[in-house]
Amino acid sequence: MKVTIRDVALKCGVSVATVSRVINNSDQVTDETKKRVMKVIDEFGFIPNTNARGLSTRSTNTVGIIVPNVSNPFFGELIEGAERAASENGYQIIILNSGYNTEKTLRDIMVLQSRDVDGIIMSTADIDEKTLDHLHENEIPFVLMGPIQYKYPVNYVSVDNMEGARMAVEHLVKLGHKKIAYCTEKYDNYLNQLRYEGYKKAFDSNGLEIQKGLYLEDSVTENVKNIISMNKEERPTAIFAFNDNIALSHMEALERNGIRIPEDMAVVGFDNIRFASYFSIQLTTIDNRQEEFGKKGFEILLDILKNDGTKTQQIVTKPQLVVRKSCGSK
Amino acid sequence: MKVTIRDVALKCGVSVATVSRVINNSDQVTDETKKRVMKVIDEFGFIPNTNARGLSTRSTNTVGIIVPNVSNPFFGELIEGAERAASENGYQIIILNSGYNTEKTLRDIMVLQSRDVDGIIMSTADIDEKTLDHLHENEIPFVLMGPIQYKYPVNYVSVDNMEGARMAVEHLVKLGHKKIAYCTEKYDNYLNQLRYEGYKKAFDSNGLEIQKGLYLEDSVTENVKNIISMNKEERPTAIFAFNDNIALSHMEALERNGIRIPEDMAVVGFDNIRFASYFSIQLTTIDNRQEEFGKKGFEILLDILKNDGTKTQQIVTKPQLVVRKSCGSK
DNA sequence: AACCGGAATGTAAACGGTTACATTTAAATG
DNA sequence: CATTTAAATGTAACCGTTTACATTCCGGTT
């Protein structure tokens, strides 16, 4: 049977209130009794029940994290950063996997609500207006990982996506590329929009025109089939991929078709996932490691919780170009 | 303010018991009242509080998962499999990141206890005798992912590690290799022991002797330095790595030193992590994908919880060799 | 010796659900 | 129409904490 605060109190010959005071180390209990109670707590292996505690204090020292895919190391890093920061502050995290599904995301939020989490950290990948409305109406403290547009200001932390894309494409332009494909995967969202803006900006500021037919948003196989079917005139000499995963799968498919990287095709990604640095891959990309963001995200949340959450914070970090070998430079 | 079951009851003009029956869809409430209550629940956006519920039922429909490193996709997959299975059965999971730290693991277990989780799924990577004793004494239902030795039988699911290692090395032997290094990273544990057993077995059954000095357990840099310092006589022609991560980092370091894979050195890994299949990597390895295990693990746990947990289950799956290009065969 | 005040401790009502048991309701039976 | 019975609903105790408020204790003042 589970040992409760009452068992401890009984054994010590004190009241539950006193035991409660001891485990919350209140200063209004004698050292002598504190010691006595502690001894019994140890002896009994008493662990205070967090749920009961939360029920009475309305705070569970828990924050929820919702990501689209836990097995994607990109999000794994985000979680790790947040978990570490949380842990250091005596908070625990509950992780939910939304599977890139907005419906499930909303359900996940309710699950977290039903557990009295103090706040939520979420990736923007699977959030829609309805979800934001729900968060707003229910006055749930939350921080988003990624940029967002909404009728009210929200807390978020993100890299400057437009600028990152611009830098990536600028890098290609500086290397002499003029036909640069934009490869994505039907990411019909704000993020894609921002990065595409950056892509355009790089062209504009260099007085270049974007070729027709180089916005590729089908499956990788389709895109690559498309590319190899182009004649020398049309075929891009470089690819800017929406993210590293897309870059890598395109690289793989291209190589399978005898197109060498970087000799025949330069490639830049976005995110700088861990594998991008692997010797045999060596992807040039924009740094967007999530661990730091996870940490920052939690800190903002904590700030909201401790102080009051009246003002929102937006943190946008400056992107960094990581030059490796996939563009042939260096 | 948060809306409670009492608010709903009041508004409907029924008792809390009835509302409770509705949300638990008990069959002893009229369709008519059920409908009426439901409407108010919707209208109010009432979400039953899981913690309060758990407090009175002693069951939270939650299982905890403890892994050493969430940002490692190997564990990510494990989590994903478990999360999916849990979700399908109306369970939620709390994920804790132990950071390969046995002390933190024990603390994590207590955290989960304090939250009244129904059971725990854990990787064996950071478990010691003391932890197992704690689990045992506190009668916590748990399932381990990986093999284990303990004075009592425990539930676990694992690939047959010895057999997997044997198959991997056998593959190398069949390709004509006689000097095969065993590369690990101070994994001074049961898993390593098992895989090393398999390594030996492959030698034994083929009437071969293991060369001296080919058990490499330093850092990657050290190991590779060690290898390239060997003369043609001693230098291994193949590597069996404790896992894919170690295989990959050795491959990278070797290539950096001008040793080509597979021409100069054949490599086999263990685990078949996702990146092992990448075109430019093409690592031959033993399949040990965790998603299926996560699922199985949860199912065992569920079985323990629903029925009673008197008998333990050990599931050991047959390993599968995945032949790619890192050994030059094919 | 009576009194005071602050520190230590105790009492009991929350927190938001569930559920055994009690009660009401309504239909079925003689 | 009175009685029985089963179904629907209500009452209140309980799950394990916290905490406002009440009480006791004890040394210090007059």
Side-chain angles (χ1 to χ4, degrees):
Chain A
M1 208 57 268
K2 206 150 281 186
V3 23
T4 76
I5 200 172
R6 267 169 249 276
D7 301 326
V8 175
L10 200 65
K11 172 79 174 188
C12 292
V14 300
S15 73
V16 290
T18 301
V19 178
S20 174
R21 288 188 186 105
V22 170
I23 59 186
N24 291 292
N25 55 62
S26 151
D27 53 359
Q28 49 177 356
V29 42
T30 336
D31 283 353
E32 200 266 323
T33 47
K34 193 177 283 189
K35 210 172 299 167
R36 219 171 70 237
V37 172
M38 279 305 221
K39 217 181 106 224
V40 176
I41 287 178
D42 262 16
E43 185 186 328
F44 278 16
F46 167 64
I47 303 176
N49 184 301
T50 306
N51 295 345
R53 220 167 187 169
L55 197 54
S56 99
T57 58
R58 315 268 50 198
S59 155
T60 51
N61 267 39
T62 307
V63 309
I65 298 192
I66 304 178
V67 294
N69 179 7
V70 278
S71 74
N72 181 336
F74 180 78
F75 298 113
E77 286 179 29
L78 161 61
I79 295 171
E80 196 175 356
E83 212 264 356
R84 180 161 313 129
S87 185
E88 279 165 11
N89 287 279
Y91 277 72
Q92 286 124 39
I93 61 174
I94 296 183
I95 301 166
L96 263 25
N97 195 65
S98 63
Y100 292 100
N101 178 336
T102 42
E103 306 266 307
K104 170 117 188 325
T105 303
L106 189 49
R107 286 208 306 280
D108 282 351
I109 291 175
M110 293 187 184
V111 163
L112 293 174
Q113 272 185 275
S114 83
R115 293 189 167 264
D116 266 347
V117 297
D118 298 336
I120 301 182
I121 295 174
M122 345 181 28
S123 148
T124 45
D126 39 21
I127 286 193
D128 58 7
E129 185 88 5
K130 198 170 138 212
T131 306
L132 287 167
D133 288 344
H134 179 88
L135 288 164
H136 203 262
E137 280 161 21
N138 287 265
E139 297 179 348
I140 301 168
F142 71 100
V143 177
L144 295 178
M145 310 305 294
I148 195 102
Q149 291 176 306
Y150 186 55
K151 53 194 169 196
Y152 307 111
V154 299
N155 302 287
Y156 68 78
V157 9
S158 163
V159 74
D160 185 336
N161 284 278
M162 196 187 300
E163 174 62 9
R166 195 200 57 74
M167 285 167 68
V169 177
E170 177 91 20
H171 177 66
L172 290 169
V173 169
K174 286 277 179 289
L175 291 172
H177 296 281
K178 292 189 166 58
K179 290 173 293 180
I180 303 171
Y182 183 96
C183 293
T184 182
E185 252 182 359
K186 294 236 164 64
Y187 281 104
D188 178 25
N189 61 19
Y190 187 48
L191 243 196
N192 189 51
Q193 214 175 297
L194 286 174
R195 293 190 187 168
Y196 189 68
E197 277 305 315
Y199 169 84
K200 281 201 297 196
K201 255 190 175 170
F203 276 82
D204 286 353
S205 69
N206 284 281
L208 293 174
E209 288 280 305
I210 296 178
Q211 305 275 114
K212 276 260 173 201
L214 291 189
Y215 183 82
L216 306 175
E217 56 170 343
D218 282 325
S219 69
V220 176
T221 0
E222 277 307 311
N223 288 351
V224 170
K225 199 184 289 180
N226 198 334
I227 289 175
I228 58 180
S229 76
M230 297 178 183
N231 59 38
K232 275 267 130 66
E233 284 302 284
E234 324 166 295
R235 187 184 286 185
T237 59
I239 287 176
F240 168 62
F242 174 73
N243 66 31
D244 287 354
N245 270 325
I246 292 181
L248 293 177
S249 41
H250 277 78
M251 285 163 80
E252 179 169 339
L254 287 167
E255 288 189 328
R256 235 185 262 276
N257 281 280
I259 297 183
R260 294 161 307 162
I261 319 282
E263 293 83 353
D264 308 325
M265 182 76 72
V267 179
V268 194
F270 202 116
D271 284 350
N272 194 18
I273 63 174
R274 243 171 262 214
F275 270 91
S277 69
Y278 259 67
F279 184 74
S280 50
I281 292 174
Q282 291 286 350
L283 178 65
T284 290
T285 188
I286 299 293
D287 205 20
N288 187 20
R289 298 294 284 275
Q290 296 294 296
E291 201 173 330
E292 187 61 26
F293 287 166
K295 179 167 182 278
K296 265 272 168 291
F298 177 80
E299 284 166 0
I300 293 182
L301 198 49
L302 195 61
D303 190 47
I304 297 173
L305 298 176
K306 295 292 184 197
N307 316 316
D308 80 295
T310 44
K311 48 188 166 311
T312 56
Q313 300 183 44
Q314 290 81 32
I315 298 187
V316 178
T317 65
K318 230 180 54 191
Q320 201 107 27
L321 179 70
V322 182
V323 178
R324 297 207 185 88
K325 304 228 172 99
S326 64
C327 298
S329 78
K330 213 200 213 172
Chain B
M1 210 55 267
K2 206 152 280 186
V3 24
T4 76
I5 199 172
R6 271 167 244 274
D7 301 326
V8 175
L10 200 64
K11 172 79 174 189
C12 291
V14 300
S15 73
V16 289
T18 300
V19 178
S20 174
R21 288 187 187 105
V22 170
I23 59 186
N24 291 291
N25 56 63
S26 151
D27 51 1
Q28 50 177 354
V29 41
T30 335
D31 283 353
E32 200 266 324
T33 46
K34 194 177 282 189
K35 210 173 299 166
R36 219 171 73 238
V37 172
M38 279 305 219
K39 216 181 107 226
V40 176
I41 287 178
D42 261 17
E43 185 187 329
F44 278 17
F46 167 64
I47 302 175
N49 184 302
T50 305
N51 295 346
R53 221 167 187 167
L55 199 53
S56 89
T57 58
R58 313 269 50 199
S59 154
T60 50
N61 268 38
T62 307
V63 309
I65 298 192
I66 304 177
V67 294
N69 179 7
V70 279
S71 76
N72 180 336
F74 180 78
F75 297 114
E77 287 180 28
L78 162 60
I79 293 171
E80 199 175 354
E83 211 263 356
R84 182 163 310 130
S87 186
E88 280 165 11
N89 286 279
Y91 276 72
Q92 287 124 38
I93 60 174
I94 296 182
I95 301 166
L96 263 26
N97 196 63
S98 63
Y100 293 100
N101 179 334
T102 41
E103 307 265 309
K104 171 116 185 332
T105 302
L106 190 49
R107 285 207 308 278
D108 282 350
I109 291 175
M110 293 186 185
V111 164
L112 292 174
Q113 272 185 275
S114 83
R115 293 189 167 263
D116 265 347
V117 297
D118 298 336
I120 301 181
I121 295 174
M122 345 179 29
S123 147
T124 45
D126 39 21
I127 287 194
D128 59 7
E129 185 88 5
K130 198 169 139 213
T131 306
L132 287 166
D133 288 345
H134 179 87
L135 288 164
H136 203 263
E137 280 161 22
N138 287 265
E139 298 178 348
I140 302 168
F142 70 100
V143 176
L144 295 179
M145 309 305 293
I148 195 103
Q149 291 175 307
Y150 187 54
K151 52 193 169 196
Y152 308 110
V154 300
N155 302 288
Y156 68 79
V157 9
S158 164
V159 74
D160 185 337
N161 284 279
M162 197 188 299
E163 174 61 8
R166 197 200 57 73
M167 286 166 67
V169 176
E170 178 89 21
H171 177 66
L172 290 169
V173 169
K174 285 279 179 286
L175 291 172
H177 295 282
K178 292 190 165 57
K179 290 173 293 180
I180 304 172
Y182 183 98
C183 292
T184 183
E185 251 183 2
K186 292 239 164 63
Y187 281 105
D188 178 24
N189 61 18
Y190 187 48
L191 244 196
N192 190 49
Q193 214 173 298
L194 286 174
R195 294 189 187 168
Y196 190 67
E197 278 304 316
Y199 169 83
K200 281 202 297 195
K201 254 192 175 168
F203 276 82
D204 285 354
S205 69
N206 284 281
L208 293 175
E209 288 280 306
I210 296 178
Q211 306 274 112
K212 276 262 172 203
L214 292 189
Y215 183 85
L216 305 175
E217 56 169 343
D218 282 325
S219 71
V220 176
T221 359
E222 276 307 311
N223 287 350
V224 170
K225 197 184 290 179
N226 198 332
I227 289 175
I228 56 179
S229 77
M230 296 178 184
N231 58 38
K232 273 267 131 64
E233 282 304 282
E234 325 166 295
R235 188 186 286 187
T237 60
I239 286 177
F240 168 62
F242 174 73
N243 66 31
D244 286 355
N245 270 325
I246 292 181
L248 293 176
S249 41
H250 277 80
M251 284 163 80
E252 178 169 339
L254 287 166
E255 288 189 328
R256 235 184 261 274
N257 281 280
I259 297 184
R260 294 162 307 161
I261 317 282
E263 294 82 352
D264 308 326
M265 181 76 72
V267 178
V268 194
F270 202 115
D271 286 349
N272 193 19
I273 63 173
R274 243 171 263 219
F275 271 92
S277 70
Y278 258 66
F279 184 75
S280 50
I281 292 174
Q282 291 287 349
L283 178 64
T284 291
T285 187
I286 298 292
D287 206 21
N288 187 20
R289 299 294 286 273
Q290 296 294 295
E291 202 173 329
E292 186 61 26
F293 288 166
K295 180 168 182 279
K296 266 271 170 290
F298 177 79
E299 284 166 1
I300 293 181
L301 197 51
L302 196 60
D303 190 47
I304 297 174
L305 297 176
K306 294 293 184 199
N307 316 315
D308 81 293
T310 44
K311 47 188 167 311
T312 56
Q313 301 182 44
Q314 290 81 32
I315 297 186
V316 178
T317 65
K318 229 179 57 190
Q320 200 107 27
L321 180 70
V322 182
V323 178
R324 297 204 185 91
K325 304 229 173 97
S326 63
C327 298
S329 76
K330 215 202 208 169

